[in-house]
Amino acid sequence: MGWFWKKDKLQLIAFQAYGTQCHFYARGRALEDEDIDLNKKNIFSLLVNSWKRFETDEIKNTPLVIALPDGRTLECKTDEDGYYLIDTHLEGLGNFVDEGGWLVYEIRYADGALKREIQNENCFKGALLIPSEKASFGVISDIDDTILHTGVASSLKWRVVFNTFFKSAGKRVPLEGAADFYHKLHKGVTGEAVNPIFYVSHSPWNLYRYLAFFLKNSNFPQGPILLRSFADIRKRKKGDLPQKQKEILNILKTYPKLSFILIGDSGEHDADIYMAIANQFPKQILAIYLRTVKHKKKMLRIRALVNNYKKTPILLVDTSACAIAHAKENGFISG
């Protein structure tokens, strides 16, 4: 008939990750570019964007090349879902970080790896956080109902669905005072600490760019965003740790000399996860902050847990102001 569907451009989404002076840990995903505009606000565009986020065309089993600032290269390959992961020992990484501790690298499709022609430039940027030696502690924070109201405690999770599919990332409003609190924690008691912030969530990686846009647009400190894949959900067996818990444990093991503040909410299982982590790593957990939710039954359970827990300071907070006051009293932030 003389016509054909034009193939989408290819892209590589490098998730903001973390590492050390000698540990390179990066991951991301290879996809066709569905041209999602996160600034669009009308209902039709929001529905189309939401569909595009979950109806992805992955670039499977494809070799990739990562180039470091000094010319060294690393090779990896995407899996059946288009994800890639590099977790390797590499010396001298700290020589290339900026003032905030970020190492910027390039990633591309390997030459000759694809049967189809790459229509756009084959060079994408990634960023890896290597915490500064000035850091006095780190912060690991949940996203849902901790800094972004999602409604995870709502009946049948209908608010989660509505907020995710019918609100643009630019229109999502952070919980009052949360960004200011996180900046204070980031700067620490000296105001120059550059304490690392890690964002964890049970949300799928499909929402990575949506959440990254929200965090930047709402003026939160930049930090690695750690989500989960649908494969993680499918493969999880009875008795397995939640993916969020695995991510936090990996952070603690990566930085054994760094203490952490854990921030979450009372709507789901943050209290249980954080207490279990504090029991396992009591010397590394400075404090736990849990935002209250408007759900009487859930709050009764959480209050009972908190009241009986003595190993690590744990505080239920109704507002960011309460958390800021506690952090000042305990010397986490400046007065």
PDB file of all heavy atoms in Angstrom, residues 139-168:
ATOM      1  N   VAL A 139      19.843  10.198  54.479  1.00  0.00           N
ATOM      2  CA  VAL A 139      18.391  10.151  54.676  1.00  0.00           C
ATOM      3  C   VAL A 139      17.805   9.195  53.646  1.00  0.00           C
ATOM      4  O   VAL A 139      18.124   9.276  52.457  1.00  0.00           O
ATOM      5  CB  VAL A 139      17.750  11.546  54.505  1.00  0.00           C
ATOM      6  CG1 VAL A 139      16.227  11.454  54.620  1.00  0.00           C
ATOM      7  CG2 VAL A 139      18.306  12.527  55.520  1.00  0.00           C
ATOM      8  N   ILE A 140      16.974   8.274  54.109  1.00  0.00           N
ATOM      9  CA  ILE A 140      16.258   7.371  53.208  1.00  0.00           C
ATOM     10  C   ILE A 140      14.774   7.630  53.404  1.00  0.00           C
ATOM     11  O   ILE A 140      14.245   7.464  54.508  1.00  0.00           O
ATOM     12  CB  ILE A 140      16.583   5.898  53.499  1.00  0.00           C
ATOM     13  CG1 ILE A 140      18.083   5.642  53.356  1.00  0.00           C
ATOM     14  CG2 ILE A 140      15.808   4.987  52.555  1.00  0.00           C
ATOM     15  CD1 ILE A 140      18.524   4.245  53.753  1.00  0.00           C
ATOM     16  N   SER A 141      14.120   8.082  52.352  1.00  0.00           N
ATOM     17  CA  SER A 141      12.722   8.501  52.474  1.00  0.00           C
ATOM     18  C   SER A 141      11.807   7.762  51.517  1.00  0.00           C
ATOM     19  O   SER A 141      12.136   7.552  50.344  1.00  0.00           O
ATOM     20  CB  SER A 141      12.608  10.011  52.204  1.00  0.00           C
ATOM     21  OG  SER A 141      11.241  10.404  52.147  1.00  0.00           O
ATOM     22  N   ASP A 142      10.653   7.393  52.018  1.00  0.00           N
ATOM     23  CA  ASP A 142       9.572   6.911  51.183  1.00  0.00           C
ATOM     24  C   ASP A 142       9.050   8.108  50.373  1.00  0.00           C
ATOM     25  O   ASP A 142       9.351   9.266  50.694  1.00  0.00           O
ATOM     26  CB  ASP A 142       8.479   6.329  52.081  1.00  0.00           C
ATOM     27  CG  ASP A 142       7.280   5.820  51.301  1.00  0.00           C
ATOM     28  OD1 ASP A 142       7.490   5.180  50.258  1.00  0.00           O
ATOM     29  OD2 ASP A 142       6.149   6.082  51.713  1.00  0.00           O
ATOM     30  N   ILE A 143       8.272   7.854  49.355  1.00  0.00           N
ATOM     31  CA  ILE A 143       7.678   8.930  48.557  1.00  0.00           C
ATOM     32  C   ILE A 143       6.178   9.026  48.797  1.00  0.00           C
ATOM     33  O   ILE A 143       5.662  10.079  49.156  1.00  0.00           O
ATOM     34  CB  ILE A 143       7.954   8.705  47.051  1.00  0.00           C
ATOM     35  CG1 ILE A 143       9.459   8.759  46.777  1.00  0.00           C
ATOM     36  CG2 ILE A 143       7.229   9.760  46.213  1.00  0.00           C
ATOM     37  CD1 ILE A 143       9.834   8.452  45.341  1.00  0.00           C
ATOM     38  N   ASP A 144       5.476   7.905  48.614  1.00  0.00           N
ATOM     39  CA  ASP A 144       4.017   7.896  48.697  1.00  0.00           C
ATOM     40  C   ASP A 144       3.516   8.240  50.093  1.00  0.00           C
ATOM     41  O   ASP A 144       3.813   7.539  51.069  1.00  0.00           O
ATOM     42  CB  ASP A 144       3.478   6.526  48.284  1.00  0.00           C
ATOM     43  CG  ASP A 144       4.055   6.085  46.957  1.00  0.00           C
ATOM     44  OD1 ASP A 144       4.249   6.950  46.089  1.00  0.00           O
ATOM     45  OD2 ASP A 144       4.325   4.878  46.792  1.00  0.00           O
ATOM     46  N   ASP A 145       2.742   9.328  50.176  1.00  0.00           N
ATOM     47  CA  ASP A 145       2.151   9.805  51.429  1.00  0.00           C
ATOM     48  C   ASP A 145       3.188  10.175  52.489  1.00  0.00           C
ATOM     49  O   ASP A 145       2.865  10.306  53.664  1.00  0.00           O
ATOM     50  CB  ASP A 145       1.166   8.788  52.008  1.00  0.00           C
ATOM     51  CG  ASP A 145      -0.184   8.867  51.295  1.00  0.00           C
ATOM     52  OD1 ASP A 145      -0.545   9.964  50.851  1.00  0.00           O
ATOM     53  OD2 ASP A 145      -0.865   7.841  51.157  1.00  0.00           O
ATOM     54  N   THR A 146       4.443  10.313  52.063  1.00  0.00           N
ATOM     55  CA  THR A 146       5.494  10.809  52.941  1.00  0.00           C
ATOM     56  C   THR A 146       5.902  12.200  52.497  1.00  0.00           C
ATOM     57  O   THR A 146       6.021  13.120  53.316  1.00  0.00           O
ATOM     58  CB  THR A 146       6.713   9.874  52.912  1.00  0.00           C
ATOM     59  OG1 THR A 146       6.302   8.569  53.350  1.00  0.00           O
ATOM     60  CG2 THR A 146       7.818  10.375  53.825  1.00  0.00           C
ATOM     61  N   ILE A 147       6.084  12.374  51.184  1.00  0.00           N
ATOM     62  CA  ILE A 147       6.335  13.703  50.641  1.00  0.00           C
ATOM     63  C   ILE A 147       5.334  14.043  49.545  1.00  0.00           C
ATOM     64  O   ILE A 147       5.186  15.204  49.174  1.00  0.00           O
ATOM     65  CB  ILE A 147       7.771  13.829  50.075  1.00  0.00           C
ATOM     66  CG1 ILE A 147       8.024  12.793  48.988  1.00  0.00           C
ATOM     67  CG2 ILE A 147       8.776  13.678  51.184  1.00  0.00           C
ATOM     68  CD1 ILE A 147       9.397  12.903  48.364  1.00  0.00           C
ATOM     69  N   LEU A 148       4.627  13.036  49.037  1.00  0.00           N
ATOM     70  CA  LEU A 148       3.639  13.228  47.983  1.00  0.00           C
ATOM     71  C   LEU A 148       2.353  12.533  48.380  1.00  0.00           C
ATOM     72  O   LEU A 148       2.355  11.327  48.648  1.00  0.00           O
ATOM     73  CB  LEU A 148       4.169  12.632  46.667  1.00  0.00           C
ATOM     74  CG  LEU A 148       3.195  12.504  45.503  1.00  0.00           C
ATOM     75  CD1 LEU A 148       2.735  13.883  45.047  1.00  0.00           C
ATOM     76  CD2 LEU A 148       3.846  11.758  44.345  1.00  0.00           C
ATOM     77  N   HIS A 149       1.256  13.296  48.445  1.00  0.00           N
ATOM     78  CA  HIS A 149      -0.010  12.682  48.839  1.00  0.00           C
ATOM     79  C   HIS A 149      -0.525  11.810  47.707  1.00  0.00           C
ATOM     80  O   HIS A 149      -0.784  12.274  46.610  1.00  0.00           O
ATOM     81  CB  HIS A 149      -1.051  13.745  49.172  1.00  0.00           C
ATOM     82  CG  HIS A 149      -2.389  13.155  49.551  1.00  0.00           C
ATOM     83  ND1 HIS A 149      -2.547  12.362  50.670  1.00  0.00           N
ATOM     84  CD2 HIS A 149      -3.604  13.208  48.955  1.00  0.00           C
ATOM     85  CE1 HIS A 149      -3.803  11.972  50.750  1.00  0.00           C
ATOM     86  NE2 HIS A 149      -4.456  12.461  49.712  1.00  0.00           N
ATOM     87  N   THR A 150      -0.652  10.514  47.985  1.00  0.00           N
ATOM     88  CA  THR A 150      -1.138   9.577  46.962  1.00  0.00           C
ATOM     89  C   THR A 150      -2.445   8.911  47.367  1.00  0.00           C
ATOM     90  O   THR A 150      -3.216   8.477  46.518  1.00  0.00           O
ATOM     91  CB  THR A 150      -0.104   8.473  46.693  1.00  0.00           C
ATOM     92  OG1 THR A 150       0.160   7.767  47.911  1.00  0.00           O
ATOM     93  CG2 THR A 150       1.184   9.064  46.159  1.00  0.00           C
ATOM     94  N   GLY A 151      -2.711   8.787  48.659  1.00  0.00           N
ATOM     95  CA  GLY A 151      -3.930   8.144  49.098  1.00  0.00           C
ATOM     96  C   GLY A 151      -3.807   6.651  49.259  1.00  0.00           C
ATOM     97  O   GLY A 151      -4.763   5.911  49.026  1.00  0.00           O
ATOM     98  N   VAL A 152      -2.620   6.165  49.657  1.00  0.00           N
ATOM     99  CA  VAL A 152      -2.450   4.719  49.806  1.00  0.00           C
ATOM    100  C   VAL A 152      -3.315   4.155  50.925  1.00  0.00           C
ATOM    101  O   VAL A 152      -3.592   2.960  50.961  1.00  0.00           O
ATOM    102  CB  VAL A 152      -0.972   4.342  50.080  1.00  0.00           C
ATOM    103  CG1 VAL A 152      -0.117   4.637  48.873  1.00  0.00           C
ATOM    104  CG2 VAL A 152      -0.445   5.057  51.320  1.00  0.00           C
ATOM    105  N   ALA A 153      -3.758   5.031  51.830  1.00  0.00           N
ATOM    106  CA  ALA A 153      -4.614   4.549  52.920  1.00  0.00           C
ATOM    107  C   ALA A 153      -6.091   4.635  52.577  1.00  0.00           C
ATOM    108  O   ALA A 153      -6.940   4.268  53.364  1.00  0.00           O
ATOM    109  CB  ALA A 153      -4.335   5.368  54.189  1.00  0.00           C
ATOM    110  N   SER A 154      -6.416   5.117  51.362  1.00  0.00           N
ATOM    111  CA  SER A 154      -7.811   5.283  50.986  1.00  0.00           C
ATOM    112  C   SER A 154      -8.463   3.937  50.661  1.00  0.00           C
ATOM    113  O   SER A 154      -7.793   2.965  50.337  1.00  0.00           O
ATOM    114  CB  SER A 154      -7.930   6.213  49.774  1.00  0.00           C
ATOM    115  OG  SER A 154      -7.323   5.636  48.647  1.00  0.00           O
ATOM    116  N   SER A 155      -9.775   3.900  50.722  1.00  0.00           N
ATOM    117  CA  SER A 155     -10.522   2.679  50.444  1.00  0.00           C
ATOM    118  C   SER A 155     -10.300   2.237  49.009  1.00  0.00           C
ATOM    119  O   SER A 155     -10.454   3.008  48.059  1.00  0.00           O
ATOM    120  CB  SER A 155     -12.015   2.931  50.683  1.00  0.00           C
ATOM    121  OG  SER A 155     -12.772   1.789  50.373  1.00  0.00           O
ATOM    122  N   LEU A 156      -9.906   0.973  48.842  1.00  0.00           N
ATOM    123  CA  LEU A 156      -9.673   0.361  47.541  1.00  0.00           C
ATOM    124  C   LEU A 156      -8.607   1.086  46.722  1.00  0.00           C
ATOM    125  O   LEU A 156      -8.479   0.876  45.527  1.00  0.00           O
ATOM    126  CB  LEU A 156     -10.980   0.300  46.730  1.00  0.00           C
ATOM    127  CG  LEU A 156     -12.128  -0.493  47.375  1.00  0.00           C
ATOM    128  CD1 LEU A 156     -13.357  -0.435  46.481  1.00  0.00           C
ATOM    129  CD2 LEU A 156     -11.710  -1.933  47.618  1.00  0.00           C
ATOM    130  N   LYS A 157      -7.806   1.955  47.376  1.00  0.00           N
ATOM    131  CA  LYS A 157      -6.714   2.678  46.719  1.00  0.00           C
ATOM    132  C   LYS A 157      -7.200   3.571  45.571  1.00  0.00           C
ATOM    133  O   LYS A 157      -6.447   3.912  44.657  1.00  0.00           O
ATOM    134  CB  LYS A 157      -5.661   1.699  46.186  1.00  0.00           C
ATOM    135  CG  LYS A 157      -5.063   0.786  47.247  1.00  0.00           C
ATOM    136  CD  LYS A 157      -4.187   1.552  48.212  1.00  0.00           C
ATOM    137  CE  LYS A 157      -3.437   0.632  49.169  1.00  0.00           C
ATOM    138  NZ  LYS A 157      -4.256  -0.091  50.087  1.00  0.00           N
ATOM    139  N   TRP A 158      -8.477   4.014  45.606  1.00  0.00           N
ATOM    140  CA  TRP A 158      -8.993   4.785  44.475  1.00  0.00           C
ATOM    141  C   TRP A 158      -8.282   6.115  44.326  1.00  0.00           C
ATOM    142  O   TRP A 158      -8.112   6.617  43.210  1.00  0.00           O
ATOM    143  CB  TRP A 158     -10.501   5.004  44.618  1.00  0.00           C
ATOM    144  CG  TRP A 158     -10.888   5.921  45.750  1.00  0.00           C
ATOM    145  CD1 TRP A 158     -11.184   5.566  47.023  1.00  0.00           C
ATOM    146  CD2 TRP A 158     -11.035   7.346  45.688  1.00  0.00           C
ATOM    147  NE1 TRP A 158     -11.492   6.680  47.778  1.00  0.00           N
ATOM    148  CE2 TRP A 158     -11.413   7.778  46.981  1.00  0.00           C
ATOM    149  CE3 TRP A 158     -10.881   8.301  44.675  1.00  0.00           C
ATOM    150  CZ2 TRP A 158     -11.634   9.113  47.290  1.00  0.00           C
ATOM    151  CZ3 TRP A 158     -11.103   9.642  44.983  1.00  0.00           C
ATOM    152  CH2 TRP A 158     -11.479  10.032  46.263  1.00  0.00           C
ATOM    153  N   ARG A 159      -7.811   6.692  45.430  1.00  0.00           N
ATOM    154  CA  ARG A 159      -7.086   7.963  45.335  1.00  0.00           C
ATOM    155  C   ARG A 159      -5.737   7.781  44.641  1.00  0.00           C
ATOM    156  O   ARG A 159      -5.257   8.670  43.939  1.00  0.00           O
ATOM    157  CB  ARG A 159      -6.887   8.571  46.724  1.00  0.00           C
ATOM    158  CG  ARG A 159      -8.153   9.188  47.318  1.00  0.00           C
ATOM    159  CD  ARG A 159      -7.832   9.984  48.580  1.00  0.00           C
ATOM    160  NE  ARG A 159      -9.029  10.570  49.157  1.00  0.00           N
ATOM    161  CZ  ARG A 159      -9.543  11.740  48.780  1.00  0.00           C
ATOM    162  NH1 ARG A 159      -8.952  12.422  47.813  1.00  0.00           N
ATOM    163  NH2 ARG A 159     -10.627  12.215  49.354  1.00  0.00           N
ATOM    164  N   VAL A 160      -5.101   6.632  44.864  1.00  0.00           N
ATOM    165  CA  VAL A 160      -3.828   6.360  44.194  1.00  0.00           C
ATOM    166  C   VAL A 160      -4.036   6.354  42.689  1.00  0.00           C
ATOM    167  O   VAL A 160      -3.265   6.962  41.927  1.00  0.00           O
ATOM    168  CB  VAL A 160      -3.250   4.999  44.656  1.00  0.00           C
ATOM    169  CG1 VAL A 160      -1.976   4.691  43.889  1.00  0.00           C
ATOM    170  CG2 VAL A 160      -2.979   5.012  46.155  1.00  0.00           C
ATOM    171  N   VAL A 161      -5.074   5.648  42.242  1.00  0.00           N
ATOM    172  CA  VAL A 161      -5.370   5.563  40.812  1.00  0.00           C
ATOM    173  C   VAL A 161      -5.670   6.948  40.248  1.00  0.00           C
ATOM    174  O   VAL A 161      -5.133   7.347  39.209  1.00  0.00           O
ATOM    175  CB  VAL A 161      -6.567   4.616  40.565  1.00  0.00           C
ATOM    176  CG1 VAL A 161      -6.953   4.623  39.088  1.00  0.00           C
ATOM    177  CG2 VAL A 161      -6.217   3.208  41.036  1.00  0.00           C
ATOM    178  N   PHE A 162      -6.519   7.704  40.943  1.00  0.00           N
ATOM    179  CA  PHE A 162      -6.898   9.032  40.449  1.00  0.00           C
ATOM    180  C   PHE A 162      -5.688   9.953  40.370  1.00  0.00           C
ATOM    181  O   PHE A 162      -5.465  10.616  39.354  1.00  0.00           O
ATOM    182  CB  PHE A 162      -7.958   9.646  41.372  1.00  0.00           C
ATOM    183  CG  PHE A 162      -8.364  11.045  40.953  1.00  0.00           C
ATOM    184  CD1 PHE A 162      -9.319  11.223  39.967  1.00  0.00           C
ATOM    185  CD2 PHE A 162      -7.777  12.164  41.529  1.00  0.00           C
ATOM    186  CE1 PHE A 162      -9.686  12.509  39.564  1.00  0.00           C
ATOM    187  CE2 PHE A 162      -8.128  13.436  41.128  1.00  0.00           C
ATOM    188  CZ  PHE A 162      -9.098  13.612  40.146  1.00  0.00           C
ATOM    189  N   ASN A 163      -4.899   9.996  41.442  1.00  0.00           N
ATOM    190  CA  ASN A 163      -3.754  10.905  41.471  1.00  0.00           C
ATOM    191  C   ASN A 163      -2.695  10.537  40.440  1.00  0.00           C
ATOM    192  O   ASN A 163      -2.039  11.408  39.869  1.00  0.00           O
ATOM    193  CB  ASN A 163      -3.135  10.926  42.868  1.00  0.00           C
ATOM    194  CG  ASN A 163      -4.001  11.659  43.876  1.00  0.00           C
ATOM    195  OD1 ASN A 163      -4.689  12.611  43.533  1.00  0.00           O
ATOM    196  ND2 ASN A 163      -3.968  11.212  45.125  1.00  0.00           N
ATOM    197  N   THR A 164      -2.508   9.247  40.191  1.00  0.00           N
ATOM    198  CA  THR A 164      -1.483   8.802  39.248  1.00  0.00           C
ATOM    199  C   THR A 164      -1.899   9.032  37.804  1.00  0.00           C
ATOM    200  O   THR A 164      -1.090   9.452  36.976  1.00  0.00           O
ATOM    201  CB  THR A 164      -1.172   7.310  39.461  1.00  0.00           C
ATOM    202  OG1 THR A 164      -0.720   7.120  40.807  1.00  0.00           O
ATOM    203  CG2 THR A 164      -0.087   6.838  38.503  1.00  0.00           C
ATOM    204  N   PHE A 165      -3.162   8.788  37.485  1.00  0.00           N
ATOM    205  CA  PHE A 165      -3.597   8.830  36.094  1.00  0.00           C
ATOM    206  C   PHE A 165      -4.243  10.149  35.685  1.00  0.00           C
ATOM    207  O   PHE A 165      -4.266  10.481  34.499  1.00  0.00           O
ATOM    208  CB  PHE A 165      -4.578   7.681  35.817  1.00  0.00           C
ATOM    209  CG  PHE A 165      -3.915   6.338  35.754  1.00  0.00           C
ATOM    210  CD1 PHE A 165      -3.776   5.561  36.894  1.00  0.00           C
ATOM    211  CD2 PHE A 165      -3.412   5.856  34.562  1.00  0.00           C
ATOM    212  CE1 PHE A 165      -3.151   4.323  36.848  1.00  0.00           C
ATOM    213  CE2 PHE A 165      -2.781   4.617  34.502  1.00  0.00           C
ATOM    214  CZ  PHE A 165      -2.655   3.846  35.644  1.00  0.00           C
ATOM    215  N   PHE A 166      -4.764  10.901  36.638  1.00  0.00           N
ATOM    216  CA  PHE A 166      -5.507  12.109  36.281  1.00  0.00           C
ATOM    217  C   PHE A 166      -4.870  13.400  36.784  1.00  0.00           C
ATOM    218  O   PHE A 166      -5.474  14.453  36.706  1.00  0.00           O
ATOM    219  CB  PHE A 166      -6.954  12.009  36.808  1.00  0.00           C
ATOM    220  CG  PHE A 166      -7.742  10.918  36.144  1.00  0.00           C
ATOM    221  CD1 PHE A 166      -7.852   9.671  36.741  1.00  0.00           C
ATOM    222  CD2 PHE A 166      -8.348  11.116  34.919  1.00  0.00           C
ATOM    223  CE1 PHE A 166      -8.568   8.656  36.131  1.00  0.00           C
ATOM    224  CE2 PHE A 166      -9.070  10.100  34.298  1.00  0.00           C
ATOM    225  CZ  PHE A 166      -9.173   8.872  34.913  1.00  0.00           C
ATOM    226  N   LYS A 167      -3.633  13.306  37.306  1.00  0.00           N
ATOM    227  CA  LYS A 167      -2.924  14.517  37.719  1.00  0.00           C
ATOM    228  C   LYS A 167      -1.536  14.513  37.097  1.00  0.00           C
ATOM    229  O   LYS A 167      -0.834  13.512  37.171  1.00  0.00           O
ATOM    230  CB  LYS A 167      -2.803  14.587  39.253  1.00  0.00           C
ATOM    231  CG  LYS A 167      -4.072  15.047  39.956  1.00  0.00           C
ATOM    232  CD  LYS A 167      -3.801  15.319  41.431  1.00  0.00           C
ATOM    233  CE  LYS A 167      -5.036  15.861  42.140  1.00  0.00           C
ATOM    234  NZ  LYS A 167      -4.745  16.166  43.564  1.00  0.00           N
ATOM    235  N   SER A 168      -1.160  15.637  36.506  1.00  0.00           N
ATOM    236  CA  SER A 168       0.174  15.732  35.940  1.00  0.00           C
ATOM    237  C   SER A 168       1.188  15.871  37.064  1.00  0.00           C
ATOM    238  O   SER A 168       0.859  16.322  38.170  1.00  0.00           O
ATOM    239  CB  SER A 168       0.275  16.949  35.010  1.00  0.00           C
ATOM    240  OG  SER A 168       0.195  18.152  35.751  1.00  0.00           O
TER     241      SER A 168
END
